[in-house]
Amino acid sequence: MPRQEECLYTKEHEWVFRDGDEIVVGITDFAQGELGDIVYVDMGETGRQVNAGDALGDIESVKAVAQVYAPVAGEVTAINEDLADSPEKVNQDPFGEGWLVRMKPANPADLDALMDHEAYRKFLEEEGH
Amino acid sequence: MPRLAVPEPPDDLEPELRRSEPPPLPELSETEVLRHFARLSHRNYSIDDGLLPLGSCTMKYNPRVNEQLARLPGFAAIHPLQPEETVQGALALMRDLERFLVEISGMDAFTLVPAAGAHGELTGMLMIRRALLHRGDDRRVVLIPDSAHGTNPASAAFCGFTPEPIASDERGQVDLAALEARVPRGDVAAIMLTNPNTLGIFESDIARICELLHAHGGFVYADGANMNALLGISRPGDHGVDVLHLNLHKTFSTPHGGGGPGSGPVGVRGELVDFLPVPRVVEGEDGLLHLSTDFPRSIGRVAAFYGNFGVMVRAAAYILEMGPEGLRRAGEDAILAANYVRKGLEDVLELSYETPTLHEVVFSGRRLEKETGCRTLDLAKRLIDHGFHPPTIYFPLIVPGALMIEPTETESREELDAFVAAIRAVVEEAHRDPETVKGAPWTAPVRRLDEVKANRQLVLRWEPSAD
Amino acid sequence: MLREIGAASLDELLAPIPPELRLGRPLELPGPLSEPELLEAMGELAARNRVVAGKDSFLGAGAYRHHVPAVVDHLLQRGEFFTAYTPYQPEISQGTLQAIFEFQTLVCQLTGMDVANASMYEGGTAFVEGILLAVRQHRGKRRRVVVAGEVHPWYRDVLETYAANLDLVIVDVAADPETGRVDPEAVGAAVDAETAVVAWQSPNFVGVVERTDALAAAARGAGAFALQAIAEPWALGWLEAPGKLGVDIVVGELQALGPAVSFGGPYVGMLATRKGMVRAMPGRLAGMTEDVEGRRGFVLALATREQHIRRERATSNICTNSALMALAVTIHLALLGPSGITEGARVSRAHAHEALRRLAALPGVRRVHSGPFFNEFVLEFPRPAAEVASALAERGILGPVPLSRFRAGEERRGLFAFTELNGPAAIERLVAGLGDVL
């Protein structure tokens, strides 16, 4: 399980963890708290090529649906199949068992544009959270 | 069931296509069925029980005589495919209703086919799309205010359009400056507006908005969900809008039926008349009324038959009962009732906008939540214990913790006073005893239901238990 | 009230509406009418429509006259049901929500499907929504739609209207003109890897029962979904449940089980499918859950599919549906039970067969198709069917529906429908009447 300090972050509240030449993507603790009880996760299919900012999939609570966006361009290599039956893992353990997808970035240097943990913490403060 | 008194026909069908066993429907006596549904009915709150203040839903009294009229055999027992000369009364009623709606709205012509508001939106946007293509114009952007009902973007998307939100300004109206910057780019097919909007605020720039769209080759679609505020007072057609749908199950008193059926006639002006769906009622050279499909530019059929005729009967009857003065009175009284409620609550709830409102008013529950920890949802649920159906909540989306109240002209001053007193009592309780409010409702047939469980462990039908 | 508000006059409350946008004159409308005047005026309109007893109506083609027990309309007239709003506050809408849940259950029991929604507007739009469900379930990657055989021409028209801007390719496979059936092999040849769905109607528009099992196999063989439309749901008292024959989506019109024919509406559309497709479904769904004290209760489930939450990405734009008509169907099916619907289907079919035997014996009259039928068939006459229908109407008999109302080239053909109401005496009058007018 990645430690939050080791992750990179987007302004849409996704976290990104480098794992060899792949990355793992999830949503932050702040994001799961905003959504409330998550009842469904749909991250689409593996093998897709996506651009940075493309929709990776949807996370649904009872009365809201949030899109998850690709933090960088690349290929979706795996999705967390366990969430089909246990979407609550995103609430309970957003940085661990609640991970969403694995991707292979098209250009690893793209990750440099993301925020580090300290920058994300400041970003949250500035947003008034 | 009549006893079989003719020979049993031959088994001419492949055996595998014939039922192997009867469908596993329940087996009940008539008494059991009657009691079951009578008991279910006791677990509903309806407009017959009291004020039902759902904003933008216009829950007004449903006149009983209209129910009787819709059930006359001359209306209920006629088949849509009888020879046309045998349904001249039905066709005349449709023609008359179309004329009434034309006069009330200021539009040029109507189709009565759409079965509901969203169906009307789809029909209207299909006409706009077809008219643009007829000009050789493939523009796709449809501007939709951030206060709009969710059906607007969904309907636009179904017609191949790309919805784009347009912000509201500090008045709670469409931001005209933003619109003036956006529309001249030339890719805007239409704007979809509700007027008065979902905040109950009249879009006072509507004429300018129409001019702007028209000057740049676009159309103005008006969602008539809130037409009750304008009855006999002001007509969208005179504002310059090109398409307008009405909800007969809101403005024209036909019952909601627990979620339908409704009827969403669509009015159009100018060049769009050619694109109305078929069939249309026309008078033939033989002096008879006909259902005609002979409109080459029409978008086609949007339903198999001709719309919800039984709902049309009720709406036509309502208009005849009310007459021109009565309709205007309804509009004025609806505005009066909403402003009375606004005045009665504005010192205990936070108004979303200071701008004057017409037939509905939207409060924000944000301040109450900060002060007491009770959310808008809690307030709504506690209102049930005080004997009232809650208002629309959490809509429009631009108001935090919105409470959207539309009392309609139906309600007496006494009922309005009781409603205002109930909300004030709940607000007072929220300060004094927030836990009681948060746990509400306490007196309804069930307490708060576990929606997370309902969505995580889907049970969407009864199934015989495994044991 | 004005004094409380602090307004000098009503006009002050109308101030937000700019004076130049006010009407400034009374509406030019008739009325007001008192209740007796209204009854008289509307009664006059109603009287200008020809009403015949149910037994003397032989009209179908998507709307059917069956007997509906008095209990159904009695319950429908309870204000608690018909003056209620959409059940957005579940704690005080348990009556409506449980009734929807029961409707979903009964539709599944009738069709053999896993899950049904709370209703669509009517048959034509349900047909389209079913096809769009199939396209969505393929995540939009397959955009070809095969329409097989004699689907109701007006359902097919609605599909054309809706599909105009949706980037779909619609391919029609014609029925065999002799049998009235579509050939499953011809359908199989038309299905390819781009095909999202194969859609047919059975019993079809000309009354003939299709090879549902073979058509479903043809669809599934190429990875497409199989969709069956049904316009006369009483047929399901005789025909095997589509769910047992490989059908993925069942859509159609349930008017015959509750709502009056009422000149075309309000009716009630049905949409049922398999479990795996539930998140792509359009429309409302009631789900079972419990309250904080563990008592059973019902709520609207999977609302995130719908327009008020997902907005332009919603599975459909539908909001208001046909809840009260769905309630009528629910009550009626509960009264009928397994034996009622089976017996009603048996009697309706027997009446149709007996009538065909008698009518086809008239000189110059023949049935057009040879395929098996339930309660409807097409006859060809020596003269235009529209003239036959008008002449019979003069004699107090309604039918047939001339095919000229739907398409050119079949002017001498008309469609007859029979239900449990059209007993031997009525058939006798029809035979005599038709003999007179030919």
Side-chain angles (χ1 to χ4, degrees):
Chain A
M1 191 205 299
R3 298 189 325 145
Q4 298 190 26
E5 293 74 21
E6 299 165 350
C7 291
L8 300 170
Y9 296 87
T10 69
K11 288 184 177 176
E12 281 76 35
H13 308 286
E14 289 105 5
W15 57 258
V16 175
F17 178 70
R18 292 184 214 235
D19 186 12
D21 60 353
E22 290 196 339
I23 57 171
V24 186
V25 181
I27 62 167
T28 65
D29 192 49
F30 168 77
Q32 70 78 18
E34 286 289 290
L35 270 167
D37 291 322
I38 289 164
V39 297
Y40 184 63
V41 176
D42 176 9
M43 287 296 130
E45 291 159 11
T46 56
R48 283 179 297 158
Q49 296 289 337
V50 292
N51 293 314
D54 282 0
L56 280 175
D58 289 338
I59 296 185
E60 298 181 7
S61 63
V62 173
K63 296 265 162 74
V65 51
Q67 283 189 300
V68 177
Y69 301 99
V72 292
E75 182 191 342
V76 178
T77 54
I79 62 170
N80 185 351
E81 307 279 357
D82 291 346
L83 300 180
D85 290 327
S86 309
E88 63 276 11
K89 284 181 177 169
V90 180
N91 292 121
Q92 293 161 355
D93 189 11
F95 284 85
E97 290 191 342
W99 67 275
L100 298 174
V101 302
R102 295 182 73 93
M103 288 180 60
K104 184 164 180 147
N107 179 6
D110 291 348
L111 292 167
D112 298 343
L114 302 179
M115 289 180 277
D116 65 14
H117 184 251
E118 183 57 21
Y120 179 64
R121 201 182 55 74
K122 281 193 180 138
F123 170 71
L124 280 182
E125 271 174 20
E126 284 160 16
E127 294 279 293
H129 301 300
Chain B
M1 191 63 59
R3 212 161 37 81
L4 188 62
V6 298
E8 192 86 50
D11 274 340
D12 55 353
L13 185 68
E14 292 84 350
E16 57 272 29
L17 296 180
R18 279 204 304 270
R19 247 194 203 282
S20 46
E21 56 189 356
L25 299 170
E27 296 180 73
L28 301 161
S29 72
E30 185 164 310
T31 319
E32 287 173 306
V33 171
L34 180 84
R35 285 191 184 144
H36 172 74
F37 287 101
R39 285 174 188 152
L40 284 190
S41 77
H42 299 154
R43 294 160 74 84
N44 267 3
Y45 184 105
S46 68
I47 191 73
D48 281 5
D49 292 302
L51 183 145
L52 219 163
L54 288 168
S56 285
C57 299
T58 315
M59 290 297 286
K60 59 170 78 177
Y61 171 64
N62 311 129
R64 288 309 185 272
V65 63
N66 299 353
E67 295 304 306
Q68 187 182 329
L69 290 169
R71 287 170 169 82
L72 289 175
F75 293 137
I78 51 171
H79 191 282
L81 292 163
Q82 288 187 209
E84 286 176 341
E85 69 270 18
T86 69
V87 288
Q88 289 297 300
L91 295 173
L93 185 139
M94 291 169 73
R95 180 203 53 195
D96 290 351
L97 179 59
E98 184 183 334
R99 286 179 182 167
F100 297 164
L101 299 180
V102 162
E103 169 64 10
I104 290 166
S105 67
M107 307 303 285
D108 289 343
F110 267 84
T111 174
L112 303 175
V113 180
H119 199 205
E121 290 172 25
L122 182 88
T123 302
M125 295 310 286
L126 284 171
M127 284 190 265
I128 289 175
R129 174 88 180 127
R130 188 64 65 93
L132 284 167
L133 288 176
H134 187 73
R135 292 179 190 164
D137 193 338
D138 189 31
R139 55 172 80 192
R140 300 279 184 142
V141 175
V142 171
L143 302 177
I144 300 177
D146 49 13
S147 60
H149 196 260
T151 51
N152 290 175
S155 300
F158 258 64
C159 301
F161 288 119
T162 309
E164 187 178 302
I166 188 105
S168 304
D169 61 17
E170 71 287 346
R171 302 170 302 170
Q173 298 188 30
V174 170
D175 185 341
L176 188 60
L179 210 55
E180 282 174 334
R182 180 65 188 83
V183 173
R185 279 198 244 158
D187 58 348
V188 175
I191 185 169
M192 293 182 88
L193 283 173
T194 307
N195 193 19
N197 64 27
T198 56
L199 298 163
I201 296 169
F202 189 82
E203 295 282 356
S204 56
D205 298 321
I206 183 66
R208 171 73 195 116
I209 292 169
C210 292
E211 282 167 19
L212 180 66
L213 266 290
H214 294 160
H216 295 280
F219 291 94
V220 178
Y221 184 102
D223 179 327
N226 291 341
M227 186 67 197
N228 208 42
L230 302 183
L231 281 176
I233 299 167
S234 182
R235 307 195 307 171
D238 298 338
H239 306 166
V241 309
D242 303 289
V243 191
L244 167 79
H245 87 255
L246 298 173
N247 298 74
L248 300 187
H249 50 291
K250 295 181 181 179
T251 315
F252 298 96
S253 86
T254 74
H256 276 71
S263 175
V266 179
V268 288
R269 291 197 317 135
E271 66 180 284
L272 289 174
V273 173
D274 287 351
F275 299 93
L276 282 167
V278 290
R280 291 170 61 187
V281 178
V282 299
E283 191 164 336
E285 287 171 7
D286 53 6
L288 294 178
L289 296 170
H290 298 277
L291 288 161
S292 172
T293 56
D294 188 19
F295 295 95
R297 288 186 190 170
S298 165
I299 58 166
R301 283 181 199 275
V302 294
F305 292 109
Y306 329 125
N308 287 342
F309 179 74
V311 181
M312 297 173 208
V313 172
R314 292 170 173 90
Y318 174 76
I319 292 167
L320 290 170
E321 286 165 294
M322 298 295 278
E325 284 304 312
L327 288 174
R328 187 182 162 102
R329 259 305 281 285
E332 290 173 349
D333 287 353
I335 293 168
L336 181 64
N339 278 282
Y340 187 73
V341 170
R342 173 177 168 151
K343 187 71 186 177
L345 293 174
E346 65 185 6
D347 59 327
V348 294
L349 285 174
E350 185 184 6
L351 265 178
S352 58
Y353 291 87
E354 289 300 325
T355 312
T357 45
L358 296 177
H359 70 300
E360 66 190 5
V361 59
V362 180
F363 292 99
S364 167
R366 185 175 46 185
R367 194 179 70 201
L368 188 73
E369 184 176 350
K370 271 196 190 132
E371 291 171 1
T372 68
C374 295
R375 296 168 302 155
T376 292
L377 180 75
D378 303 322
L379 193 153
K381 298 299 185 197
R382 184 61 178 150
L383 200 52
I384 293 171
D385 291 329
H386 285 259
F388 285 100
H389 193 290
T392 299
I393 54 174
Y394 298 110
F395 183 83
L397 305 175
I398 55 172
V399 176
L403 280 149
M404 184 196 203
I405 303 173
E406 181 184 7
T408 83
E409 73 279 10
T410 293
E411 305 305 331
S412 66
R413 183 174 175 177
E414 288 69 25
E415 184 80 358
L416 295 173
D417 284 338
F419 175 67
V420 166
I423 292 193
R424 296 184 73 96
V426 174
V427 170
E428 188 269 326
E429 266 184 328
H431 286 94
R432 181 170 45 82
D433 180 12
E435 292 313 308
T436 296
V437 176
K438 287 181 195 169
W442 301 90
T443 59
V446 288
R447 290 189 54 204
R448 268 190 224 191
L449 291 153
D450 186 346
E451 302 205 48
V452 173
K453 178 185 161 86
N455 282 283
R456 279 186 184 158
Q457 299 158 31
L458 291 175
V459 182
L460 303 173
R461 58 173 291 196
W462 176 85
E463 279 180 282
S465 52
D467 48 59
Chain C
M1 285 170 75
L2 282 168
R3 195 171 53 243
E4 293 289 330
I5 295 167
S9 67
L10 257 174
D11 250 14
E12 203 177 311
L13 297 181
L14 302 184
I17 306 172
E20 66 275 17
L21 297 183
R22 308 247 192 112
L23 181 58
R25 63 165 175 83
L27 290 168
E28 290 175 16
L29 293 171
L33 301 186
S34 64
E35 192 162 309
E37 290 169 329
L38 179 72
L39 289 168
E40 188 181 339
M42 297 294 279
E44 276 170 18
L45 277 178
R48 287 166 57 198
N49 300 319
R50 175 102 28 95
V51 179
V52 304
K55 62 184 189 299
D56 291 322
S57 173
F58 304 91
L59 297 167
Y64 303 87
R65 281 187 75 173
H66 288 271
H67 177 69
V68 179
V71 171
V72 175
D73 196 48
H74 171 80
L75 285 166
L76 240 49
Q77 293 204 48
R78 291 187 80 100
E80 298 91 330
F81 283 130
F82 89 85
T83 80
Y85 193 69
T86 302
Y88 287 139
Q89 293 289 339
E91 296 87 351
I92 46 172
S93 308
Q94 286 298 298
T96 294
L97 283 162
Q98 186 173 337
I100 295 172
F101 184 83
E102 291 173 0
F103 173 76
Q104 292 168 185
T105 301
L106 295 176
V107 168
C108 289
Q109 291 174 340
L110 193 60
T111 57
M113 305 306 288
D114 298 331
V115 53
N117 77 6
S119 75
M120 309 301 299
Y121 306 133
E122 46 81 67
T125 46
F127 179 66
V128 178
E129 292 273 16
I131 284 169
L132 297 181
L133 162 62
V135 172
R136 220 163 24 243
Q137 186 71 15
H138 282 294
R139 294 186 183 260
K141 287 178 193 157
R142 293 180 174 217
R143 306 204 71 90
R144 202 156 169 278
V145 174
V146 173
V147 179
E150 289 276 14
V151 170
H152 195 298
W154 290 352
Y155 292 5
R156 178 69 183 78
D157 284 353
V158 181
L159 173 63
E160 198 69 28
T161 304
Y162 269 64
N165 306 297
L166 294 179
D167 192 25
L168 299 178
V169 179
I170 304 173
V171 181
D172 294 282
V173 180
D176 177 342
E178 294 296 318
T179 62
R181 265 184 168 179
V182 68
D183 175 7
E185 282 189 26
V187 172
V191 181
D192 63 14
E194 301 299 308
T195 305
V197 59
V198 176
W200 68 92
Q201 180 179 326
S202 182
N204 67 23
F205 173 64
V206 295
V208 173
V209 176
E210 298 285 6
R211 286 293 317 229
T212 288
D213 49 352
L215 290 171
R220 294 180 142 204
F225 293 113
L227 178 148
Q228 180 181 348
I230 296 168
E232 171 43 299
W234 284 81
L236 291 173
W238 175 54
L239 295 177
E240 184 57 286
K244 289 191 180 174
L245 295 174
V247 174
D248 300 295
I249 302 168
V250 177
V251 295
E253 176 59 71
L254 296 177
Q255 173 275 327
L257 284 169
V261 278
S262 189
F263 203 51
Y267 291 175
V268 47
M270 129 176 98
L271 189 146
T273 185
R274 300 196 182 279
K275 248 180 204 143
M277 300 173 81
V278 63
R279 291 183 181 274
M281 282 177 88
R284 292 184 190 130
L285 285 165
M288 192 163 82
T289 185
E290 53 192 32
D291 75 358
V292 293
E293 292 175 16
R295 281 176 299 195
R296 186 185 71 180
F298 300 87
V299 295
L300 291 175
L302 295 181
T304 45
R305 298 164 300 116
E306 295 186 70
Q307 43 72 28
H308 62 280
I309 294 176
R310 202 176 286 255
R311 299 176 84 82
E312 69 266 24
R313 297 195 302 126
T315 56
S316 169
N317 70 334
I318 191 170
C319 182
T320 290
N321 54 30
S322 203
L324 195 70
M325 300 298 105
L327 176 64
V329 171
T330 307
I331 299 166
H332 193 188
L333 281 173
L335 288 165
L336 282 171
S339 60
I341 187 127
T342 308
E343 186 61 12
R346 175 169 167 255
V347 175
S348 299
R349 177 167 171 267
H351 286 168
H353 279 259
E354 172 65 6
L356 174 62
R357 190 179 67 79
R358 302 286 313 279
L359 293 168
L362 292 170
V365 177
R366 69 170 187 108
R367 180 175 177 229
V368 174
H369 309 102
S370 60
F373 64 97
F374 171 56
N375 68 340
E376 276 182 297
F377 52 78
V378 176
L379 292 186
E380 191 166 83
F381 312 104
R383 58 184 291 205
E387 291 177 18
V388 172
S390 290
L392 283 172
E394 290 295 315
R395 286 164 170 74
I397 294 170
L398 292 178
V401 176
L403 293 195
S404 58
R405 292 209 55 173
F406 303 94
R407 54 199 184 200
E410 295 180 81
E411 271 64 26
R412 291 189 294 112
R413 293 176 177 180
L415 184 61
F416 279 103
F418 298 81
T419 73
E420 77 287 345
L421 295 175
N422 309 113
I427 292 172
E428 198 60 48
R429 275 194 300 280
L430 172 63
V431 172
L434 191 60
D436 282 351
V437 305
L438 285 179

